[in-house]
Amino acid sequence: MTIILASLLRYYEYNDDGEKMPVAFNNDNSILNNIVKRLPHTDKFVFVANDPDDHADNDNSMRVLVASLEMAGLRFGTVVMLDGRNAHDAARVIDGAGLIVLRGGKCDIQLDFWRRIGMRDALKKSAAVVVGVSAGAMNLCKVVANFPEESSDLEKPLWLSGLDLCDFTVIPHFDGEKCEYQFPCADFDIAKEYILPMSQGREFIGIPNDGYIIIENDKQPRFYGDLYVICNSETKRLQPSSDFETI
């Protein structure tokens, strides 16, 4: 299994009616190249929900993403949405996938779903490229810094136990140069009031919207984009890896 911890995937634009319309999958920092290079096969693509009960949004997002990948030249034999409708059969759905994308959203909602379906064991048995996006990336880690993104999140716990498939604690949508969260909240400063204070005595890796981390087998993690270490309320830029590495 290859794990990619990503902050954002750019695969759609909004039309005048506010609907998501697919565009060719963006290859910023060579993310598409790195995914394709590591794919074991293109027999099956699995898109994993954040909210297992939001069927309409799950189906639409998968449709747009699949169209985007096809526009970029990546076509799969079978595509499957894993959410509440087939949760009882999650192990079979995951089995044999070449690419698995884990949606962003709310960390606590997604972790509850993943634990109910045995996601950790299913992923550990997989040979797929697993791309965690935003919350999907955070939840693959051992410790999840569950900072609030809006006022409705303020009563939620700040720390969650993730799947423990990565040693990092990651902070998506983090601009280390400006020390800002890239999806700001009108009611409070997410970075200065939560992310930085939560880093006291801990170390996070901040991933900007076009950055990502590749973790595979026993190799050293590879960093793409302007990633920063966040520790004791201070930030330090990580040296990016080259776009390609022969494997």
Side-chain angles (χ1 to χ4, degrees):
M1 174 176 57
T2 295
I3 292 176
I4 298 179
L5 305 176
S7 188
L8 189 74
L9 301 181
R10 299 188 186 274
Y11 59 94
Y12 62 87
E13 294 177 350
Y14 289 103
N15 65 14
D16 293 339
D17 295 324
E19 299 172 326
K20 291 180 180 178
M21 303 299 294
V23 296
F25 194 95
N26 192 288
N27 195 32
D28 282 349
N29 290 315
S30 296
I31 186 168
L32 180 61
N33 291 343
N34 277 317
I35 290 172
V36 171
K37 185 175 184 179
R38 291 164 171 83
L39 281 179
H41 56 77
T42 56
D43 296 342
K44 183 197 284 190
F45 165 56
V46 178
F47 194 39
V48 182
N50 181 281
D51 182 347
D53 299 321
D54 196 350
H55 302 158
D57 185 61
N58 291 338
D59 287 344
N60 184 62
S61 292
M62 184 181 74
R63 177 188 61 79
V64 174
L65 177 53
V66 168
S68 170
L69 291 170
E70 290 181 352
M71 291 167 70
L74 184 55
R75 184 181 296 272
F76 290 87
T78 302
V79 296
V80 187
M81 180 74 233
L82 176 54
D83 63 10
R85 292 166 292 186
N86 54 359
H88 64 283
D89 211 14
R92 185 192 62 79
V93 171
I94 292 292
D95 184 46
L99 176 65
I100 301 169
V101 173
L102 312 172
R103 287 196 72 180
K106 299 297 184 182
C107 290
D108 56 334
I109 292 173
Q110 189 174 59
L111 278 173
D112 179 67
F113 173 50
W114 286 4
R115 290 201 171 94
R116 285 191 283 114
I117 65 176
M119 178 62 78
R120 186 175 190 274
D121 289 342
L123 290 180
K124 287 186 71 175
K125 296 174 183 177
S126 175
V129 173
V130 177
V131 182
V133 183
S134 192
M138 297 169 75
N139 286 339
L140 288 173
C141 301
K142 183 175 183 178
V143 176
V144 179
N146 189 43
F147 54 88
E149 294 182 284
E150 54 191 2
S151 296
S152 61
D153 296 331
L154 290 173
E155 299 303 316
K156 295 182 178 182
L158 290 177
W159 302 102
L160 301 171
S161 296
L163 293 198
D164 195 13
L165 295 177
C166 307
D167 292 333
F168 304 117
T169 295
V170 297
I171 308 295
H173 318 300
F174 187 79
D175 184 331
E177 183 176 355
K178 297 180 180 179
C179 204
E180 292 178 351
Y181 193 68
Q182 292 173 300
F183 294 131
C185 172
D187 299 322
F188 50 85
D189 189 318
I190 296 172
K192 292 181 174 58
E193 294 183 46
Y194 287 95
I195 294 171
L196 294 182
M198 290 173 73
S199 73
Q200 291 296 322
R202 297 178 183 265
E203 185 174 285
F204 305 149
I205 296 183
I207 308 176
N209 279 344
D210 293 311
Y212 60 100
I213 303 169
I214 297 180
I215 305 165
E216 48 189 342
N217 301 323
D218 296 326
K219 296 183 179 181
Q220 289 294 315
R222 299 187 60 77
F223 306 109
Y224 297 83
D226 295 325
L227 278 67
Y228 279 74
V229 173
I230 309 166
C231 184
N232 295 326
S233 296
E234 297 182 352
T235 61
K236 181 180 179 181
R237 190 172 187 270
L238 278 167
Q239 182 65 35
S241 303
S242 60
D243 285 347
F244 273 100
E245 177 189 23
T246 301
I247 59 174

